[in-house]
Amino acid sequence: MPLETLRSDWLDAFVAFAEHRNFTHAARELHLSQPALHVQIAKLSEELGVTLYRREGRALSLTHQGTQLLAFAREARERSREIVAELRGEPADAAVTMAAGEGAYLYLLGDALRAFTRRSTARLQVLTRDRQGAIDAVRSGEAHLGMGSFSSLPDDVLGTPLVEIGSCVVMPSAHRLARKRAIVLADLAGEALVVPPAGRPHRTALAQALETAGVAWRVAAEASGWDLMLHFASLGVGLTVVNDFCRIPRGLVARPLRGLPSVRYDLLSRRGARLGAGALALRQCVVDKTSRR
Amino acid sequence: MPLETLRSDWLDAFVAFAEHRNFTHAARELHLSQPALHVQIAKLSEELGVTLYRREGRALSLTHQGTQLLAFAREARERSREIVAELRGEPADAAVTMAAGEGAYLYLLGDALRAFTRRSTARLQVLTRDRQGAIDAVRSGEAHLGMGSFSSLPDDVLGTPLVEIGSCVVMPSAHRLARKRAIVLADLAGEALVVPPAGRPHRTALAQALETAGVAWRVAAEASGWDLMLHFASLGVGLTVVNDFCRIPRGLVARPLRGLPSVRYDLLSRRGARLGAGALALRQCVVDKTSRR
DNA sequence: CGGTAGCTATAATGTGATGTTATCGTAGTT
DNA sequence: AACTACGATAACATCACATTATAGCTACCG
C-alpha cells in the first residue's frame, strides 16, 4: 500500500523486457546486466502486487496485466518525450502508429491517410498486421489505432464500426456468369476458385458458406492478398471472390455475391488510452473518410 | 541529450515543491531534508536544460515551463495511480476537477454537474476560483476543466465558447423603470446602484459603460456575488445590474439592459492535456447542458 | 540601521539501493 | 546424454542520494 507513483526507470526496463520477452536480450539493449534487469522487474511486480509474466516452457509471455502495464508504460514514455521536447522548445515530432492489414491500407485507408498527412504534422507510422496482430498491437500500446474486421474483440479494446463490406465474384468479362447482375452461391457450383491459403479468414468464411449451401467447387489456386488473387483471376486460372472495395483490373468484371455474410471493418483503440493530438486527428480522418459508404 | 524518460520521483518532488513554492515546507511534506529536495529539483532542471523557477525577492515563482511541467507531472501521477488501481483490480476512484466562479456553479453548471454525477462514477471535485484563478488552475493541471468569462486566454489554454450572457437591471416591481420592457444606460441616470466592489470585472465593465454614456449614478452598496447583490436590491437599497441567468427573488423584477456588452462563458481545458474518461464525460455534459440557450 | 528570522543554496560526509560477477537450475536441442 | 540458452539467486562492489552543517540572501522589526 505504500505506493506513490510508478518508477519510470522500472517502466522503461519493463518495456524493453516486454518487447523481447527475454531478460538477456533486453538487458543488453538497456546496457545492463541480466540480473540487474531481472531484479528491477521483480521489484516492479512486487510493488504492484501483480504477476507480470509467466513461463511457458522456456519462453516467457506477458500476463494480461503485463500487457496493460506495457501499454501504459509506452504511453507514459511517449508523453514524457513530448513534454521534454516542448519544454526545450524543440518541435515535437510525435509519431502516430496505426496497425492494419494490407487490404485495409490498399483499399480503405488511402483517403484517410492522405488527409491526415495534410492536416497534421505528426509522422505516420504504419504496421502491417493480421487480425490478431492488430488487436495485440493496440492492446499493448504498440499502435495507437488499429483497423480490421473482427468477429469479436477483447474487453480492453474498443471498436468503432466504420463500414460494411460485401463480397463480389470476379471473372473474365466473357464468363457466362458475367451476364448476371448478382450471383448467388449456387451459381458457383463446379467452378474453380482462386482463394486465400487454408486457415485465412476469408478462405474459411467462403468455404464454410459454400459447404453449407451444398455447392461443390475446387481450388484453382491459392494466393495471399486481394491483389494476387485478382492477378490469378485475370490470368484465367479461375474465378475469385474478393471484398467489394477492390479495384478490378481491366478485362475482369465484378458481380455482387449474395449469401456470404458482409464484413464489418472497425477502428480499434485501446480502452482507457489517452490519445494525443496526432492520434485523435488520425482517428477523426479515418472516421470522416471511411465511414460514409 | 542522453535523456530517456523523466524520473517520476523527481516529478513527484517537483509537484510538492511547485505547490508550496517553498523548498523547506515541501521537503517536510515529502519526509525529506530540504537540501535533498533542492538537489532533486536542480537535477531535474539540469536534465531538462530548462529553468523551472525564479526568485522574486525572497519568494519563488514558477516559470512558464515550470507550470507546464507541473501540469504534466500531475497528469502523469494521476495516470499512474489509475493504472495501479486497475492492475490490482481495485475500482479506480478517479476524481475530476473543475475550476469556476461561484456564479458559474450557481447559475450555469447545475444541470451539467447533475447529469455528470448520474452518468459517471468519477468523483467530482470543484474549485471556486476567480477568472485568473480558474485559468491558473487549468494551466497548472490543478483542474481538468475550467469555466468562466475571459477577455483573453493564454496560448496554452483552450477555450470553447458555451453561452452568451446579457445583463439585466433588477428592481422592485413597483419601480418606475419596471414598466419598461427593456432598459438603456440613460435610464439609470441618477439611480443608486448595488454593485460589486471596485476592481471586480462586472463593476469595471458597468462603470465604464455608464461613464462613456455620460450617465451619472452613485453607489448604493457594494456586495460580492450575484446573490448578495440581489439581496440588497430586494432590501430596497438600490437597483442592481446582474447577469441574466440569475434567478430573481420574489418582489423584484428584471428587465434586459441594452448597451452593456454581453459576456461569453467559455469552457477551458489545457492545450495538450490528455483528459481521462471522467474529464471527457464532464466536458461532454457541460457542453450538452450549457451551450444551447 | 543593525539584528534576526526564514529560507535557499552548496559542501562534506555517510549509507543503502542498485549494479556486477559468479553460479546453479531447468528446459529444450542434437 | 551432453550441450546450449536462459532465468533466478547470492555475494560482493559501487555509486547515487540522503543527511548534517553552514554560508549567503532578503525582508522585517525594534
Side-chain angles (χ1 to χ4, degrees):
Chain A
M1 67 241 82
L3 183 70
E4 349 80 66
T5 203
L6 286 176
R7 291 189 38 170
S8 52
D9 47 350
W10 291 357
L11 288 179
D12 284 336
F14 182 69
V15 172
F17 162 67
E19 284 175 348
H20 289 87
R21 268 171 255 97
N22 175 319
F23 284 102
T24 309
H25 299 333
R28 210 173 348 251
E29 181 181 301
L30 294 167
H31 306 291
L32 213 68
S33 69
Q34 173 265 318
L37 175 60
H38 185 267
V39 169
Q40 286 200 5
I41 305 296
K43 287 191 178 164
L44 177 60
S45 171
E46 189 192 14
E47 180 155 331
L48 286 169
V50 154
T51 59
L52 297 172
Y53 65 97
R54 220 186 298 283
R55 305 194 60 143
E56 289 177 359
R58 78 169 166 185
L60 305 181
S61 69
L62 296 187
T63 59
H64 178 67
Q65 290 149 329
T67 307
Q68 285 184 280
L69 186 65
L70 173 58
F72 167 75
R74 280 172 158 151
E75 200 176 273
R77 200 173 49 172
E78 195 179 297
R79 193 79 185 88
S80 180
R81 296 232 164 87
E82 281 179 30
I83 193 75
V84 170
E86 190 179 336
L87 288 176
R88 289 179 174 162
E90 303 165 0
D93 70 330
V96 182
T97 305
M98 163 129 230
E102 210 178 331
Y105 289 125
L106 285 174
Y107 300 110
L108 286 174
L109 287 170
D111 288 349
L113 298 186
R114 196 171 325 117
F116 172 72
T117 52
R118 260 201 291 272
R119 196 166 316 169
S120 171
T121 63
R123 281 179 301 134
L124 179 66
Q125 202 152 15
V126 297
L127 307 174
T128 305
R129 297 292 162 88
D130 63 10
R131 288 167 158 74
Q132 189 57 46
I135 291 177
D136 289 345
V138 167
R139 39 178 4 192
S140 72
E142 190 187 0
H144 300 104
L145 298 173
M147 192 179 181
S149 60
F150 307 95
S151 44
S152 76
L153 287 174
D155 280 352
D156 51 350
V157 173
L158 214 64
T160 312
L162 283 179
V163 52
E164 293 268 346
I165 304 287
S167 302
C168 55
V169 179
V170 179
M171 61 206 118
S173 21
H175 195 278
R176 63 174 174 96
L177 289 175
R179 281 177 304 177
K180 306 194 65 166
R181 293 188 53 135
I183 296 182
V184 296
L185 290 172
D187 294 331
L188 295 176
E191 292 290 343
L193 301 179
V194 179
V195 291
R200 301 291 301 269
H202 184 63
R203 165 75 172 266
T204 310
L206 181 61
Q208 204 161 41
L210 289 167
E211 173 78 20
T212 57
V215 175
W217 63 288
R218 58 188 183 80
V219 174
E222 289 186 340
S224 282
W226 308 123
D227 275 347
L228 221 45
M229 290 166 63
L230 290 168
H231 178 66
F232 283 115
S234 58
L235 292 183
V237 173
L239 308 194
T240 190
V241 177
V242 299
N243 278 0
D244 69 8
F245 55 52
C246 291
R247 278 178 289 275
I248 307 300
R250 295 196 159 278
L252 296 182
V253 297
R255 296 287 178 265
L257 173 61
R258 314 282 183 218
L260 211 57
S262 69
V263 217
R264 192 184 69 201
Y265 275 73
D266 284 78
L267 180 63
L268 305 187
S269 59
R270 185 165 53 88
R271 189 184 294 277
R274 281 161 161 69
L275 300 177
L280 288 175
L282 176 56
R283 182 161 81 176
Q284 198 57 49
C285 288
V286 172
V287 169
D288 288 348
K289 297 285 181 183
T290 311
S291 58
R292 51 143 177 207
R293 258 172 199 266
Chain B
M1 67 243 83
L3 182 70
E4 347 82 63
T5 203
L6 287 176
R7 291 190 37 169
S8 51
D9 46 350
W10 291 357
L11 288 179
D12 283 337
F14 182 69
V15 172
F17 162 67
E19 285 174 348
H20 289 86
R21 265 171 255 97
N22 176 321
F23 284 101
T24 308
H25 298 334
R28 211 175 346 253
E29 180 182 302
L30 293 166
H31 307 292
L32 213 68
S33 69
Q34 172 265 318
L37 175 60
H38 184 267
V39 169
Q40 286 199 5
I41 304 297
K43 286 189 178 167
L44 178 60
S45 172
E46 189 192 15
E47 180 155 332
L48 287 169
V50 154
T51 61
L52 297 172
Y53 65 97
R54 220 186 299 284
R55 306 196 59 143
E56 288 176 1
R58 77 172 164 182
L60 304 182
S61 70
L62 295 187
T63 59
H64 178 68
Q65 289 150 328
T67 308
Q68 284 184 279
L69 185 64
L70 172 57
F72 167 75
R74 280 171 157 150
E75 201 176 271
R77 200 172 50 172
E78 196 179 295
R79 193 80 187 86
S80 179
R81 294 231 164 86
E82 281 179 30
I83 192 75
V84 171
E86 191 179 335
L87 288 176
R88 291 180 173 160
E90 303 164 0
D93 69 330
V96 182
T97 305
M98 163 129 230
E102 211 178 330
Y105 289 125
L106 285 173
Y107 301 109
L108 285 174
L109 286 168
D111 287 350
L113 299 185
R114 197 172 323 117
F116 172 72
T117 53
R118 261 202 290 271
R119 195 165 316 170
S120 170
T121 63
R123 280 176 302 133
L124 178 66
Q125 202 151 15
V126 297
L127 307 174
T128 306
R129 298 290 162 89
D130 63 10
R131 288 167 158 75
Q132 189 56 48
I135 291 178
D136 289 344
V138 167
R139 28 169 24 181
S140 71
E142 190 187 1
H144 300 106
L145 299 172
M147 192 179 179
S149 59
F150 307 94
S151 45
S152 76
L153 286 174
D155 280 351
D156 53 348
V157 172
L158 213 63
T160 311
L162 284 179
V163 53
E164 293 268 346
I165 303 286
S167 302
C168 55
V169 179
V170 178
M171 61 207 119
S173 19
H175 194 277
R176 64 176 175 93
L177 288 175
R179 281 177 305 177
K180 305 192 66 164
R181 292 188 54 135
I183 296 182
V184 295
L185 291 171
D187 294 331
L188 296 176
E191 291 290 344
L193 300 180
V194 179
V195 290
R200 300 292 301 270
H202 183 63
R203 165 75 172 266
T204 310
L206 182 60
Q208 205 162 40
L210 289 166
E211 172 79 18
T212 58
V215 175
W217 62 288
R218 58 187 183 82
V219 173
E222 289 186 340
S224 282
W226 308 124
D227 276 348
L228 220 45
M229 290 166 64
L230 291 168
H231 178 65
F232 283 116
S234 57
L235 292 182
V237 174
L239 308 193
T240 189
V241 177
V242 298
N243 278 359
D244 67 9
F245 55 53
C246 292
R247 277 179 289 274
I248 306 302
R250 295 196 159 277
L252 296 182
V253 297
R255 295 288 177 263
L257 174 61
R258 314 281 183 219
L260 210 57
S262 68
V263 218
R264 192 184 70 200
Y265 275 74
D266 284 79
L267 180 62
L268 304 187
S269 59
R270 183 165 56 88
R271 190 185 293 276
R274 280 163 163 68
L275 300 178
L280 288 175
L282 177 55
R283 182 162 81 176
Q284 198 57 49
C285 287
V286 171
V287 169
D288 288 348
K289 298 286 180 180
T290 310
S291 58
R292 49 139 181 215
R293 260 174 197 266

